Structures are given as structure tokens and as C-alpha cells.
């Protein structure tokens, strides 16, 4: 009976892992097709993938068992995608359609930067914090919603630039803070509703503080990619202020 129960747990986790992999791929495929059909501008398509892929990735987490290896199965798809970015960026693998869909200029070497850092950041957040702490989910929310909306809004409406960083705008930073705060509170509410941790009004206010810190860091003219700085400042501040 024990072996049968263990087998059922493994099957459940494999099914959940398949969903964590299929969801982001479906998002990428959808917006790539919309861009190909000129129904969506390519840059906007890329940023919508940036926003939705990580958030969709977290949705099946409650389907996993309580097994200690479940988080590694969840992270496997993202980690494997990071390895694929390395293979494509170095020319070891070939997929011109994918390179074109997720790079700015169609250069495969771009995949060794932003897309790879995106995969690394989400993998670290998943393995280190999983669903038992709001820290990981809030970090992913800041990376996806905050950074994504900052670029979309800033690129289209950011006429007033920041005095210390002329590549970023006031409205872009405000969009980051607003989107990251809402997504962070939403992710916290989502996982708290399954009983993985307790969320009080102080918890939600703290997620807003984390998003404020991440928005400030994202606005700085740092030589490190935003996909790394945003995620890891959110993790650092979250570890100080949130339960984990």
C-alpha cells in the first residue's frame, strides 16, 4: 500500500510539473503567433511573455504534493529552459523561431543575458523559498509584473526621465511599483488561501514595501541586468521583512 501511495504521489507531481512547463510555453506560443500575424507589436509581445510566463508558472504549485522533492520538480522546467538559452546562445542548439521570438534584435547571443537571467532568477526563487514562504512568490511577481510593466509604460509614456538615469522614467518606475505591488499581494493571497502560510494585513503592507525597494533598484543605472537585480533585491528585502 505504501508503494502504491508513493507511486500516486509521483504521478501527481509529474502531472503538476508538466503543467508548470506547459503553461509558460503556451504563453510564449500564443504571443509569438499574435506577433507573427501583426496583431501585436513584437516588443509588446516579448514583454507580455515576460509578465505572464513566470506568473503562470506558479499557478500549478498547489497541485504538487508535500514531498521535499516537489519544489525541484517544479523548478526543473525553468532550469531546463535556462540550459536551453545557454545552448541556443552559444550556437550548440538551433531554433531560429524561438531566438527571434524572445530576443530584441534576433541575435542568439541575447539569450545569454536577459532570458537566461530570467530563468535563473525564477529557479532560485522556486528552490529556495517554494510555496511555503511569500518571499519567492513576491520576488517572481516583482520580476514579472514590475519589470514588465515598467518597460511597457515607460517606453510608451515615459517622456519625463529620471535625473539620475535618463534611460528610465518617472512613469515607468511608478508603473513598476503599482504592478509589482498588486501582483505581489495577489500571489501572497493565492498561496495563503491554500494554507501554506498565514497572511495578515501586515504581510500585504510588507509586500508593498518590498516592491518599493525593487522599483528603486530597477530605476538605478546599474551595470547588472534588471532580471537579476530586481529579483534578488526583492528576495533580500523579503527575507528581512517577510516570514520564510
Amino acid at each position: 500500500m505504501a508503494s502504491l501511495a508513493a507511486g500516486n504521489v509521483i504521478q501527481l507531481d509529474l502531472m503538476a510539473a508538466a503543467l508548470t512547463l506547459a503553461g509558460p510555453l503556451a504563453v510564449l506560443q500564443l504571443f509569438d503567433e499574435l506577433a507573427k500575424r501583426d496583431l501585436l507589436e513584437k516588443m509588446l509581445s516579448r514583454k507580455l511573455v515576460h509578465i505572464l510566463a513566470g506568473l503562470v508558472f506558479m499557478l500549478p504549485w498547489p497541485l504538487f504534493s508535500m514531498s521535499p522533492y516537489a519544489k525541484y520538480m517544479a523548478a526543473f522546467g525553468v532550469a531546463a529552459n535556462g540550459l536551453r538559452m545557454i545552448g541556443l546562445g552559444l550556437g550548440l542548439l538551433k531554433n531560429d523561431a524561438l531566438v527571434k521570438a524572445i530576443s530584441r534584435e534576433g541575435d542568439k547571443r541575447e539569450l545569454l543575458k536577459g532570458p537566461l537571467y530570467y530563468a535563473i532568477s525564477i529557479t532560485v526563487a522556486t528552490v529556495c523559498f517554494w510555496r511555503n514562504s511569500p518571499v519567492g512568490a513576491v520576488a517572481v511577481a516583482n520580476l514579472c509584473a514590475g519589470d514588465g510593466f515598467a518597460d511597457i509604460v515607460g517606453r510608451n509614456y515615459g517622456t519625463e526621465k529620471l535625473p539620475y538615469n535618463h534611460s528610465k522614467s518617472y512613469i515607468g518606475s511608478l508603473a513598476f511599483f503599482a504592478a509589482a505591488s498588486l501582483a505581489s499581494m495577489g500571489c501572497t493571497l493565492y498561496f495563503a488561501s491554500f494554507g501554506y502560510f498565514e497572511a495578515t494585513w501586515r504581510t500585504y503592507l510588507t509586500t508593498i514595501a518590498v516592491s518599493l525597494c525593487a522599483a528603486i533598484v530597477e530605476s538605478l543605472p546599474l551595470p547588472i541586468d534588471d532580471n537579476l537585480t530586481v529579483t534578488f533585491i526583492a528576495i533580500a528585502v523579503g527575507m528581512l521583512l517577510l516570514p520564510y
Side-chain angles (χ1 to χ4, degrees):
M1 291 294 293
S3 60
L4 180 60
N8 290 336
V9 167
I10 292 174
Q11 289 181 356
L12 175 67
D13 287 338
L14 286 173
M15 291 175 59
L19 289 176
T20 62
L21 180 61
L25 289 177
V27 169
L28 174 61
Q29 184 65 33
L30 170 63
F31 288 104
D32 184 37
E33 285 297 322
L34 292 175
K36 285 180 180 178
R37 299 171 186 271
D38 292 325
L39 297 174
L40 204 62
E41 191 265 330
K42 181 183 176 183
M43 183 62 71
L44 178 58
S45 172
R46 284 183 62 255
K47 282 302 170 180
L48 290 175
V49 170
H50 179 101
I51 292 167
L52 292 174
L55 299 178
V56 169
F57 163 73
M58 293 191 293
L59 285 177
W61 285 9
L63 298 178
F64 283 91
S65 72
M66 299 301 291
S67 170
Y69 65 76
K71 63 183 180 182
Y72 299 106
M73 295 186 70
F76 174 78
V78 181
N81 190 52
L83 292 175
R84 182 168 62 159
M85 295 301 105
I86 294 174
L88 291 169
L90 295 176
L92 302 176
L93 301 175
K94 187 175 178 62
N95 189 330
D96 293 337
L98 180 60
V99 171
K100 184 178 179 182
I102 63 179
S103 63
R104 293 176 182 268
E105 305 295 337
D107 185 348
K108 64 179 183 292
R109 289 172 296 182
E110 292 180 46
L111 275 60
L112 297 174
K113 298 179 181 178
L116 175 59
Y117 301 149
Y118 184 89
I120 290 173
S121 295
I122 295 180
T123 300
V124 170
T126 303
V127 171
C128 292
F129 299 100
W130 192 215
R131 62 195 177 189
N132 301 316
S133 165
V135 174
V138 167
V140 174
N142 275 267
L143 166 65
C144 297
D147 191 49
F149 276 105
D151 188 84
I152 292 173
V153 175
R155 189 179 299 275
N156 289 281
Y157 306 104
T159 54
E160 292 292 328
K161 303 298 182 181
L162 296 172
Y164 55 88
N165 187 355
H166 291 167
S167 67
K168 302 291 176 71
S169 64
Y170 286 104
I171 190 68
S173 293
L174 181 60
F176 182 111
F177 174 62
S181 296
L182 290 173
S184 294
M185 288 189 288
C187 288
T188 299
L189 175 62
Y190 179 68
F191 289 111
S193 69
F194 288 95
Y196 296 121
F197 51 81
E198 183 180 358
T200 66
W201 65 270
R202 293 179 183 272
T203 308
Y204 295 109
L205 287 179
T206 300
T207 65
I208 296 175
V210 172
S211 296
L212 177 60
C213 293
I216 292 171
V217 169
E218 191 271 344
S219 74
L220 299 175
L222 300 175
I224 307 173
D225 191 277
D226 289 342
N227 288 340
L228 294 176
T229 58
V230 164
T231 306
F232 289 105
I233 193 62
I235 287 175
V237 177
M239 289 177 68
L240 290 174
L241 301 178
L242 290 167
Y244 73 97

